[in-house]
Amino acid sequence: MEFSCDKVVSLHDMETRQQRKDNYHHEAAGLQQRINRMKARGRQFVTGEIASFLSLIAFIATITLSESELLKAAEGVLAAVMAVCYIIIRNKDTKNSRRITELEQLLRAYQQEAAALDGDFAAFDDGERYIDSHHPFTYDMDIFGKESLYQRINRTVTTLGAGRLAESLSRVDRHKTIQEIERYHEAINTLAAPDLSDWRMRFISCGVKGKIDTDAILLSLPQLQKITIPHYLSGRGIKVAASLLSVGLIASIIAAIYQLVNPMLPILWVFVNFLLVAGLAGSYLNRMLTVGNKLRNEMQPLMRVIRLIDEIEPGHSTLIKEDVDQLKEAVSSFEMLTDIVETLILRTSDAYKFFADAFCLRGFFLANKFCSWRAMASSNLTVWIDAVTDLDALVSMAQMRYNHPEAGSATIIDESQEGDPVYYEAQGLWHPFLGAKAVRNDFSIRDGNFYIVTGANMAGKSTFLRALGVNYILAMNGMPVFAKKLTVSRFKLFSSMRTSDDLSHGISYFNAELLRLQQLLKFIEQTDSSRDPTPYHTLLILDEILKGTNSLDKLNGSRMFLRAITRKPVAGVIATHDLELAKMEQESPQFHNWCFEIALGTDVTYPYKITPGVAKNQNATYLLSNILRNFAKK
């Protein structure tokens, strides 16, 4: 069985990368114009609010001065009209302000994407918290940290989405079946379609001011569910009673104005209503508020994300369809919860709480609404949050797909059927960090074989090794690969390229190297009996074995190490400056020599092309002699 990315139409034919950058700038300019117009409209709304409010006060004042009952009635009607006008204008102003905020976030998202295509990723989360020098490959492959692969891909808007993306880039040891990789690939390409560009950018804009703390939401929701609400607050009867009490109060106020009842009646009614809510529901509302405070900054942006997801047409992607179908059920639930949380926060104002409970018995309605929400959502909350998390990570991967139409296709083969547990066949491979200046190389790796790569300093050895690893990680996640064509099997990956000392723990550089090699050997021996009774085969990517010792000791130790692991289920690519190590090709057909040759003339020329054989030219002495020659002239 095999899965080929060639099943999906290439995006490269639709737009070039430069066209996409130009599009980002064009959209940003259009958004700025819209924002300016809406801000001007907002100033008009403020003027209208002030005028209608002052008119309302004026008509109320004239009612007390007028002697004619007919005139009082007319002024009362005009006061009511002004009150309605104020409410309408105020609501429009609020919506306009909210829309301006959303558009400003969208503008920032477009500006950040344009900057990213120019090589500036500073605006994006770099995942430094995920750096682990003991991980099998992420530390060496620059997966996390400043200017890392994670930072270049990451557009997640939730904390759990950021973690899901980090987990995907950290695990390639057959944790996904070929069918799962295919599902991810289909989903990524569906979301990367050019006609979804606007949707994708609106989604990404939800996180430009900071990630939605879905971890906090998951921790808080069970606390909300545990709050016990008495039965009398959850039934329909409390809503009927609260409505009657509210209507009765309004009727008593009108009657008092026209001197039909004692003015003390509506005053007493106000306090009775307020005390009823405080006595029967106050303690439960306070418990809800304690949890609601933890959600106050998360629910509105999360609701915005869920509404956006509800707009998606999943196309042929079963993965997106599953997530979207789950979240269609969540829309009304999260809208209700958002309204509950926002109302709870309003109740932190004593003035609001008094008037809302005294005149409308709002606390009863709020407790009743909370009971309805809990009955609707209790069993599905974690499933819904997981669906948001999954789509959040997929949107980041899709944005990378869209931004890199030059990236190529990958084919994943079933190693159990092909009989080659480690299979890596690349045509036109390059490192994704290098962009247009990258030199592309062809290279093949087969199980049980070892490829010794020699070359001068700065000739391209380390970058090439990282290109092998990074593109494999991308392929295992269904993402675009930076190669004309890449065919791989599924295997484990282990690298040792960036060993460092740890003086705080008394670990020297050489000792750190030994510990890393010991970790490598344990890694090779690992099995996963739950999924496969045989050891996983491993690709080793090593840069200068035993750098921390003298040349002869290093050579002997490297030979001993490589001879030992040839008997294990591994393949390896080993970069070295030690040309003597290349003689292992003469000992065994398992070893193959490759090199990055340089040309020495008036200047050093770096072709960055890998070719069979052993490097002949070195540049350290040549470059140093030039420095000393210039020094001697001074």
Side-chain angles (χ1 to χ4, degrees):
M1 179 187 294
E2 70 177 38
F3 152 55
S4 173
C5 298
D6 290 326
K7 295 177 183 177
V8 183
V9 176
S10 172
L11 301 176
H12 180 70
D13 297 330
M14 301 179 186
E15 279 185 312
T16 67
R17 193 175 177 188
Q18 182 60 45
Q19 287 173 324
R20 289 176 188 183
K21 185 166 69 173
D22 292 342
N23 181 61
Y24 288 143
H25 285 299
H26 175 74
E27 292 292 336
L31 283 168
Q32 187 62 69
Q33 292 177 357
R34 289 178 63 188
I35 291 168
N36 292 339
R37 289 195 297 269
M38 294 183 76
K39 284 183 176 180
R41 191 182 308 158
R43 290 190 288 271
Q44 294 173 356
F45 285 140
V46 171
T47 302
E49 287 174 46
I50 294 172
S52 59
F53 182 77
L54 291 176
S55 299
L56 169 64
I57 299 299
F59 284 124
I60 291 174
T62 56
I63 290 174
T64 61
L65 300 175
S66 299
E67 296 181 359
S68 168
E69 294 299 322
L70 183 61
L71 188 58
K72 282 184 178 181
E75 289 166 342
V77 170
L78 289 173
V81 170
M82 288 299 103
V84 171
C85 287
Y86 175 81
I87 292 170
I88 292 173
I89 296 171
R90 178 63 183 166
N91 285 338
K92 286 183 175 293
D93 188 25
T94 300
K95 291 179 180 178
N96 188 66
S97 298
R98 184 176 299 153
R99 185 59 179 153
I100 288 172
T101 300
E102 291 177 359
L103 290 178
E104 286 177 337
Q105 292 174 355
L106 185 57
L107 170 63
R108 188 173 167 189
Y110 273 108
Q111 291 170 337
Q112 289 175 354
E113 290 302 321
L117 289 182
D118 283 327
D120 180 5
F121 302 93
F124 306 116
D125 173 20
D126 62 13
E128 185 176 2
R129 60 196 175 279
Y130 301 118
I131 292 177
D132 178 8
S133 61
H134 301 293
H135 189 274
F137 58 82
T138 58
Y139 187 62
D140 294 323
M141 296 293 148
D142 300 315
I143 304 302
F144 302 113
K146 188 177 179 180
E147 301 292 328
S148 63
L149 181 67
Y150 181 84
Q151 187 175 33
R152 291 162 187 267
I153 296 174
N154 185 21
R155 306 292 188 273
T156 55
V157 302
T158 68
T159 54
L160 286 171
R164 181 70 56 84
L165 178 61
E167 181 185 18
S168 295
L169 297 177
S170 299
R171 296 185 60 195
V172 297
D173 52 351
R174 297 205 284 188
H175 69 292
K176 290 177 185 169
T177 64
I178 292 178
Q179 291 79 6
E180 287 172 330
I181 297 172
E182 180 176 4
R183 277 158 50 92
Y184 265 79
H185 177 75
E186 288 176 345
I188 290 166
N189 278 274
T190 297
L191 292 174
D195 59 353
L196 281 179
S197 182
D198 175 68
W199 179 89
R200 236 179 11 259
M201 293 305 298
R202 285 187 288 136
F203 186 100
I204 292 168
S205 72
C206 295
V208 297
K209 284 192 172 181
K211 286 185 171 40
I212 303 165
D213 193 348
T214 39
D215 293 276
I217 293 173
L218 274 185
L219 290 173
S220 299
L221 292 179
Q223 296 174 29
L224 278 176
Q225 291 174 314
K226 290 177 183 177
I227 297 173
T228 304
I229 303 292
H231 180 70
Y232 63 79
L233 290 174
S234 61
R236 188 176 181 183
I238 194 67
K239 294 170 69 176
V240 174
S243 299
L244 291 174
L245 286 170
S246 180
V247 170
L249 173 60
I250 294 170
S252 71
I253 292 172
I254 294 172
I257 290 174
Y258 288 96
Q259 299 179 350
L260 299 176
V261 298
N262 190 314
M264 288 301 296
L265 178 61
I267 295 174
L268 289 173
W269 203 314
V270 163
F271 283 100
V272 167
N273 283 355
F274 179 75
L275 292 174
L276 274 174
V277 174
L280 297 178
S283 61
Y284 310 109
L285 292 169
N286 287 336
R287 289 179 208 164
M288 290 161 58
L289 176 60
T290 301
V291 182
N293 267 321
K294 300 175 184 177
L295 299 173
R296 64 187 306 169
N297 297 321
E298 316 304 332
M299 291 311 303
Q300 195 63 250
L302 178 63
M303 191 65 245
R304 185 178 162 199
V305 167
I306 291 173
R307 289 194 186 103
L308 280 169
I309 292 173
D310 192 43
E311 295 178 13
I312 296 177
E313 291 296 332
H316 298 294
S317 171
T318 56
L319 182 58
I320 295 176
K321 187 177 186 304
E322 290 169 4
D323 288 335
V324 171
D325 287 347
Q326 289 173 347
L327 287 170
K328 283 186 181 299
E329 303 172 6
V331 174
S332 58
S333 172
F334 275 104
E335 282 181 341
M336 188 182 294
L337 179 58
T338 301
D339 184 58
I340 290 169
V341 170
E342 289 180 347
T343 307
L344 285 169
I345 301 308
L346 286 174
R347 293 178 66 83
T348 57
S349 165
D350 291 334
Y352 173 86
K353 182 164 67 174
F354 177 78
F355 284 104
D357 289 347
F359 287 87
C360 303
L361 295 95
R362 182 69 171 132
F364 285 155
F365 288 101
L366 185 59
N368 187 269
K369 190 172 187 176
F370 173 73
C371 293
S372 300
W373 168 80
R374 188 163 57 181
M376 177 194 301
S378 59
S379 61
N380 295 313
L381 288 171
T382 55
V383 174
W384 292 338
I385 293 292
D386 188 66
V388 172
T389 299
D390 205 28
L391 283 165
D392 190 15
L394 284 171
V395 168
S396 285
M397 297 177 185
Q399 187 66 9
M400 182 201 182
R401 165 72 276 185
Y402 179 79
N403 281 344
H404 293 278
E406 76 279 9
S409 60
T411 299
I412 316 298
I413 63 173
D414 190 331
E415 61 282 349
S416 64
Q417 295 184 15
E418 298 294 332
D420 209 342
V422 176
Y423 185 97
Y424 197 118
E425 184 75 35
Q427 296 179 18
L429 182 83
W430 77 96
H431 196 294
F433 295 7
L434 296 180
K437 66 181 180 180
V439 176
R440 307 183 181 199
N441 283 288
D442 299 343
F443 199 70
S444 300
I445 301 172
R446 297 293 183 269
D447 192 40
N449 287 266
F450 297 84
Y451 306 84
I452 297 175
V453 181
T454 55
N457 294 291
M458 303 182 294
K461 301 188 302 299
S462 298
T463 300
F464 175 71
L465 265 57
R466 289 191 174 93
L468 293 172
V470 167
N471 278 291
Y472 179 69
I473 294 164
L474 294 173
M476 289 298 103
N477 283 284
M479 284 191 276
V481 293
F482 291 77
K484 180 180 178 181
K485 184 176 182 182
L486 179 64
T487 304
V488 293
S489 60
R490 294 174 304 142
F491 46 77
K492 294 195 298 182
L493 179 65
F494 193 100
S495 63
S496 180
M497 300 181 66
R498 191 175 280 146
T499 308
S500 59
D501 56 12
D502 187 351
L503 299 181
S504 63
H505 292 87
I507 299 175
S508 68
Y509 185 89
F510 179 68
N511 194 27
E513 283 191 290
L514 290 178
L515 290 174
R516 184 67 175 176
L517 293 177
Q518 186 178 29
Q519 182 187 356
L520 184 158
L521 295 174
K522 289 181 180 178
F523 185 85
I524 292 172
E525 295 295 339
Q526 287 175 351
T527 61
D528 185 348
S529 58
S530 65
R531 297 187 64 175
D532 192 336
T534 61
Y536 291 172
H537 288 238
T538 303
L539 174 62
L540 305 178
I541 297 179
L542 309 176
D543 193 357
E544 292 290 353
I545 306 171
L546 300 175
K547 294 186 285 288
T549 187
N550 67 70
S551 299
L552 181 59
D553 198 25
K554 170 187 170 184
L555 175 61
N556 291 334
S558 298
R559 283 173 172 168
M560 181 172 60
F561 177 80
L562 291 174
R563 286 169 184 154
I565 63 173
T566 56
R567 298 188 293 271
K568 299 296 181 179
V570 299
V573 184
I574 304 98
T576 182
H577 286 285
D578 196 337
L579 302 184
E580 288 295 314
L581 194 63
K583 293 181 179 179
M584 294 193 73
E585 186 182 55
Q586 301 169 11
E587 298 180 10
S588 169
Q590 289 179 274
F591 290 92
H592 312 274
N593 288 327
W594 289 80
C595 69
F596 283 92
E597 191 59 274
I598 63 172
L600 300 177
T602 54
D603 292 308
V604 182
T605 302
Y606 299 94
Y608 301 119
K609 291 293 290 185
I610 192 167
T611 56
V614 181
K616 297 180 176 60
N617 295 326
Q618 300 297 315
N619 59 359
T621 303
Y622 179 89
L623 293 172
L624 183 58
S625 65
N626 287 341
I627 293 172
L628 293 174
R629 190 180 303 114
N630 291 332
F631 175 75
K633 291 178 181 178
K634 293 181 180 180

